[in-house]
Amino acid sequence: MPKPSLRDALLDAGFDLLHAGGYAATGVAAIAAAAEAPKGSFYNHFPSKEALAIEALNRYAASRRLDMLAEPGVAPLQRIRNHIDHLHADLAAYGYRRGCMFGNFAAESPSAAPEVTAAASAALARWCALLAGAIRDGQQAGEIVSGLDAGAAAQLIVDAWEGAALRAKADGDGTPIDNVTAMIFDRILSVR
Amino acid sequence: MPKPSLRDALLDAGFDLLHAGGYAATGVAAIAAAAEAPKGSFYNHFPSKEALAIEALNRYAASRRLDMLAEPGVAPLQRIRNHIDHLHADLAAYGYRRGCMFGNFAAESPSAAPEVTAAASAALARWCALLAGAIRDGQQAGEIVSGLDAGAAAQLIVDAWEGAALRAKADGDGTPIDNVTAMIFDRILSVR
């Protein structure tokens, strides 16, 4: 039976390389080398690069702290602010150069790794749904304008965040994230 | 001297493969094969894959019809609508599966092809600037609410479009584009 620690090392290395470099650009050999594992050992632990990428995406999704959007005892608008602040800090921690793994994977060719594309799409859809819930809670609490379609607004926020993350990544600069954050609250949710 | 037609065939094939598959996933050999050119001939016409990708990006940028945003004799809001309709039709023509080349290239690793990343970033910045000009014209014409920062709104629209294009690409479905289009006019520009 393979040692759990080698599997963890492959997943850790794969997570970092896939996040920084993208799916197509990251090979199994590079992942094994970064994990200091023999290349042949990769397939003792993962059936395919695609399988590792989906585990990495799930780990990334868990680190998005979507639970913040439904956190008990916190006012809805503050939940959204806390969540956005968390995402911003995470992008900034890598100088914006890694971008959002959801968007990175969604931007790559769907035909190269259809299960990875589908997992990224599902992660974005789940994010939209939880954000829509927080917006609806904010509307019921009188914090967010009532005439807004919460589902449509949540999609707009997620899309705008992903686009800003792309521009921030390309430039290695957080200005697009500052802009989208201000516009989410000032313009889309009209709360400032 | 190389025949111009072979160079054109390489650029045509490269454009399609890079748009559909992305930068890292598309090799020089595949481009040459799609152009029915000997692999060795590629470097008679282009110094590198990066150089071809930048030419492809410039061709893509020209096809975005940014000139529509400043079209003489057309009301500013209608210019924005015409431009968005043009972009939507182009995404739809490929079943949304190719996405936007600007966003696709910006999403890939900046370290793999820094000049391609910089060209994608510059293209997005130019788009933002021209869109901001049309928004300003619309504000002066009384078509768009005056309290809006045109530059910030233009960035929000471009970011939201790019994010929606990613989701549409992942799913092969235009629903995210329909949503962002409605939200651009209803919510961001408040004109419906």
Side-chain angles (χ1 to χ4, degrees):
Chain A
M1 198 174 142
K3 288 183 196 168
S5 61
L6 187 53
R7 189 182 197 281
D8 289 347
L10 286 165
L11 183 56
D12 289 348
F15 182 94
D16 283 338
L17 290 173
L18 289 164
H19 196 184
Y23 184 82
T26 303
V28 163
I31 295 170
E36 298 182 352
K39 183 182 172 184
S41 71
F42 182 91
Y43 296 102
N44 295 336
H45 300 277
F46 297 94
S48 61
K49 184 175 84 169
E50 196 162 11
L52 181 141
I54 289 169
E55 279 203 44
L57 192 72
N58 289 339
R59 178 192 283 197
Y60 182 77
S63 73
R64 294 309 87 200
R65 297 291 315 274
L66 294 178
D67 58 291
M68 281 181 162
L69 291 169
E71 194 174 348
V74 181
L77 189 57
Q78 191 59 47
R79 288 185 231 147
I80 299 173
R81 289 192 195 279
N82 291 346
H83 175 62
I84 294 289
D85 287 349
H86 171 72
L87 297 182
H88 189 163
D90 191 57
L91 290 175
Y94 297 102
Y96 302 96
R97 281 298 193 186
R98 289 190 172 190
C100 171
M101 191 187 279
F102 297 157
N104 294 350
F105 282 0
E108 293 204 47
S109 173
S111 60
E115 289 177 27
V116 175
T117 303
S121 171
L124 288 165
R126 183 155 180 272
W127 183 13
C128 286
L130 285 163
L131 185 54
I135 293 171
R136 256 178 234 113
D137 289 349
Q139 290 176 312
Q140 287 176 1
E143 292 184 320
I144 296 173
V145 64
S146 61
L148 185 66
D149 180 314
Q155 287 182 64
L156 178 63
I157 290 170
V158 166
D159 288 341
W161 186 268
E162 290 298 330
L166 287 185
R167 291 197 301 121
K169 176 179 177 169
D171 295 341
D173 178 87
T175 307
I177 298 295
D178 292 335
N179 185 72
V180 74
T181 300
M183 293 300 274
I184 286 168
F185 295 103
D186 293 355
R187 190 74 197 158
I188 303 176
L189 300 178
S190 291
V191 290
R192 263 182 202 160
Chain B
M1 197 174 142
K3 290 183 194 170
S5 62
L6 187 55
R7 189 182 196 281
D8 289 348
L10 287 164
L11 183 55
D12 288 349
F15 182 94
D16 283 337
L17 289 173
L18 289 165
H19 195 185
Y23 184 81
T26 302
V28 164
I31 294 170
E36 298 183 350
K39 182 182 173 184
S41 70
F42 182 92
Y43 295 102
N44 295 335
H45 300 278
F46 297 94
S48 61
K49 183 175 84 169
E50 197 163 10
L52 181 142
I54 289 170
E55 280 203 43
L57 193 71
N58 288 340
R59 177 190 284 197
Y60 183 77
S63 73
R64 295 310 85 200
R65 295 291 315 275
L66 294 179
D67 58 291
M68 280 180 162
L69 291 170
E71 193 174 349
V74 181
L77 188 58
Q78 190 60 46
R79 288 184 233 148
I80 300 173
R81 289 192 196 280
N82 291 347
H83 175 62
I84 294 288
D85 286 350
H86 171 71
L87 297 182
H88 190 163
D90 190 58
L91 290 175
Y94 297 102
Y96 303 95
R97 281 299 193 184
R98 289 190 173 189
C100 171
M101 191 187 279
F102 297 157
N104 294 350
F105 281 1
E108 292 203 48
S109 173
S111 60
E115 290 178 26
V116 175
T117 302
S121 171
L124 288 165
R126 183 155 181 271
W127 182 14
C128 286
L130 284 163
L131 185 54
I135 293 171
R136 257 179 233 112
D137 289 348
Q139 290 176 313
Q140 286 177 1
E143 292 183 322
I144 295 173
V145 64
S146 61
L148 185 65
D149 179 315
Q155 287 182 62
L156 178 63
I157 289 170
V158 165
D159 288 341
W161 186 268
E162 290 299 330
L166 288 185
R167 293 197 299 122
K169 177 178 176 169
D171 294 342
D173 178 88
T175 307
I177 298 295
D178 292 335
N179 185 72
V180 75
T181 300
M183 293 300 273
I184 286 169
F185 295 103
D186 293 355
R187 189 74 197 157
I188 303 177
L189 300 178
S190 291
V191 290
R192 265 182 198 156

